Amino acid sequence: MSEIVGVVGITHNPLMWSALDDPMSTDLDGVTANTSRLREWVSGLAPDVVVVIASDHLHMLVTSNMPAFMIGKASRMRAIHPNETRSFGLQPTELSGDHDLAAHLLGGRGMAPGFDFAFSDEPWLDHSFMVPLLLLRPELDLPMVPVFTNANSPPIPNARRFAQLGSHLRAAIQTATDRRRVLVVGSGHLAHELGGPRQFLATSPDPRFDEEAVSWMANGDLESAIAGSDFDRLTAAGNETYQFLNFITCMALAGGNPATFAEGTPTRFGNLPFFAWEDL
Amino acid sequence: MLNKVMWEVDRTDEALAAFKADTPAFLNAWEESWRRPVPPYPVGGSLTSRERVALETRDFGTLYAMGTNPFLLWQFARSVSVPGSMSIEQLVISFREAVLPHGYPDFFT
């Protein structure tokens, strides 16, 4: 049987990533410290596969075809789109995938009850998948399974559905017959705005939401997280806050346990999320 | 269709260069592509005259008020404006001034 060895929730802000090498970015000292801490922890877990839960930012998936939840099922996959290289300096690369685990998570040839995923045999990952990997495992040496969630283009699945996704993935990973050590990484935001009046204000668009959100994770308070993350509340916190829902998936996937590390790290890009679950 | 055209402009360096070099010609070709669809996902589309003017004049406030996806709009605005028309710092300020009067339009498609 496979084992979930760790669950991480982390930022994927590409502007932050591109600013990390700037020696003047002293506001990112906390990010550097948290990243180092989590990277070391992840390395010690000795995972042999990583499942990444993230939301394509209208790079691969657009409104001509927009699945609510999709699993990438491929042995090799492209990463980084040309406009991300142009905008953020992220370099295109290829990753290895765990086709068999992806197929198992989908439910095999006759889809398992409970979750009807879309799938892609040619996933092309954007920064929402890659920045967390570059932060946590810059060697990019682990085969991965991408789980795409629509948290950018309404209608967006509700928070309870994101929690159900976590529970479903937890059970599916634990029943995979091959003996894998599975690291799960959720990618998202706290309160965040892009393309609206509150973008780039050098602070969080909604510090109160951030404070509540971190406490939900620290306390393992899944029901409060669900209740406090309806569409209107997330919109009020910032028009890109929907990706917080991926952390609700993480908490459910971690069995609803309290995060052993939970922080919204203040930066010029807002409060950036860092969560880890060791008790699984 | 506004989301689609912004996505297609920003998707490749070649499309972005063509849009910046001659926006009316790019939009003409884009609409013509829609009339010759290649399955299963035709490129191109059709635009209203108001949408077309907003794209040609880089009127980000109007595009925002029309309910475009904010993420796509910002990416589009950045790609067509920087570098060239203005610095990123100037764009951040002018973009905020453009969208601020419109609050939070519904961007459900």
Side-chain angles (χ1 to χ4, degrees):
Chain A
M1 305 297 272
S2 291
E3 178 186 6
I4 301 167
V5 294
V7 179
V8 178
I10 195 167
T11 176
H12 61 250
N13 189 310
L15 295 173
M16 175 280 298
W17 181 85
S18 62
L20 274 177
D21 289 337
D22 182 351
M24 302 300 287
S25 296
T26 53
D27 67 313
L28 300 181
D29 288 351
V31 170
T32 302
N34 287 342
T35 299
S36 297
R37 170 186 179 146
L38 292 176
R39 185 184 300 167
E40 187 175 340
W41 175 62
V42 162
S43 178
L45 296 173
D48 46 35
V49 60
V50 56
V51 174
V52 183
I53 300 156
S55 302
D56 174 85
H57 285 43
L58 303 162
H59 285 114
M60 175 183 173
L61 302 170
V62 287
T63 50
S64 54
N65 290 283
M66 180 57 73
F69 300 109
M70 186 178 86
I71 291 178
K73 176 169 61 69
S75 299
R76 298 291 298 171
M77 55 193 92
R78 295 177 190 273
I80 300 303
H81 295 253
N83 57 359
E84 299 179 290
T85 302
R86 191 193 319 129
S87 297
F88 312 125
L90 288 160
Q91 295 304 306
T93 188
E94 284 193 19
L95 297 176
S96 61
D98 189 331
H99 175 278
D100 290 349
L101 180 59
H104 175 75
L105 298 183
L106 280 161
R109 284 154 182 76
M111 196 173 281
F115 239 88
D116 305 326
F117 291 106
F119 72 90
S120 171
D121 287 347
E122 297 179 70
W124 189 339
L125 311 178
D126 73 358
H127 69 271
S128 65
F129 290 89
M130 290 307 294
V131 169
L133 287 178
L134 289 167
L135 292 174
L136 293 170
R137 190 79 172 192
E139 306 91 333
L140 301 179
D141 59 343
L142 295 175
M144 62 102 69
V145 176
V147 178
F148 293 74
T149 65
N150 173 24
N152 281 309
S153 187
I156 291 167
N158 64 45
R160 188 164 299 282
R161 194 62 175 150
F162 273 80
Q164 290 168 344
L165 172 66
S167 299
H168 177 87
L169 291 174
R170 176 184 175 88
I173 291 169
Q174 290 176 332
T175 58
T177 51
D178 290 341
R179 295 172 61 87
R180 293 179 177 83
R181 294 177 60 78
V182 181
L183 171 70
V184 178
V185 176
S187 166
H189 297 299
L190 294 169
H192 186 57
E193 177 135 324
L194 203 57
R198 290 178 291 171
Q199 71 167 348
F200 301 131
L201 291 179
T203 187
S204 169
D206 193 333
R208 185 175 173 192
F209 176 84
D210 295 344
E211 189 176 332
E212 287 182 331
V214 171
S215 75
W216 296 329
M217 297 294 138
N219 297 325
D221 193 349
L222 187 58
E223 285 304 315
S224 292
I226 292 169
S229 301
D230 65 55
F231 184 84
D232 290 341
R233 178 67 186 98
L234 295 179
T235 303
N239 64 12
E240 282 275 308
T241 310
Y242 313 113
Q243 292 163 69
F244 172 73
L245 295 166
N246 290 329
F247 300 139
I248 291 181
T249 297
C250 286
M251 181 159 46
L253 202 150
N257 287 318
T260 43
F261 181 73
E263 185 176 293
T265 306
T267 73
R268 86 190 85 147
F269 305 105
N271 294 327
L272 302 185
F274 292 89
F275 304 120
W277 284 265
E278 299 177 50
D279 300 327
L280 300 165
Chain B
M1 286 295 176
L2 280 172
N3 285 335
K4 187 177 182 185
V5 71
M6 292 193 301
W7 180 73
E8 291 191 6
V9 166
D10 194 39
R11 190 167 52 149
T12 65
D13 293 344
E14 292 77 12
L16 177 61
F19 182 87
K20 292 170 79 168
D22 189 339
T23 299
F26 179 94
L27 295 177
N28 288 340
W30 191 77
E31 293 198 291
E32 181 58 28
S33 297
W34 181 248
R35 287 188 276 275
R36 292 178 285 104
V38 178
Y41 310 125
V43 297
S46 60
L47 299 165
T48 66
S49 57
R50 187 163 172 254
E51 290 171 336
R52 192 178 173 109
V53 168
L55 289 165
E56 289 180 352
T57 60
R58 318 294 200 256
D59 185 348
F60 304 131
T62 295
L63 292 169
Y64 180 74
M66 287 176 171
T68 54
N69 185 288
F71 175 81
L72 272 181
L73 176 60
W74 170 250
Q75 284 294 109
F76 171 79
R78 175 179 170 141
S79 292
V80 303
S81 305
V82 180
S85 303
M86 61 186 82
S87 68
I88 186 69
E89 292 80 10
Q90 290 170 321
L91 177 64
V92 167
I93 293 169
S94 65
F95 187 91
R96 181 176 299 130
E97 290 172 348
V99 302
L100 189 60
H102 304 292
Y104 289 89
D106 184 4
F107 60 99
F108 183 86
T109 55

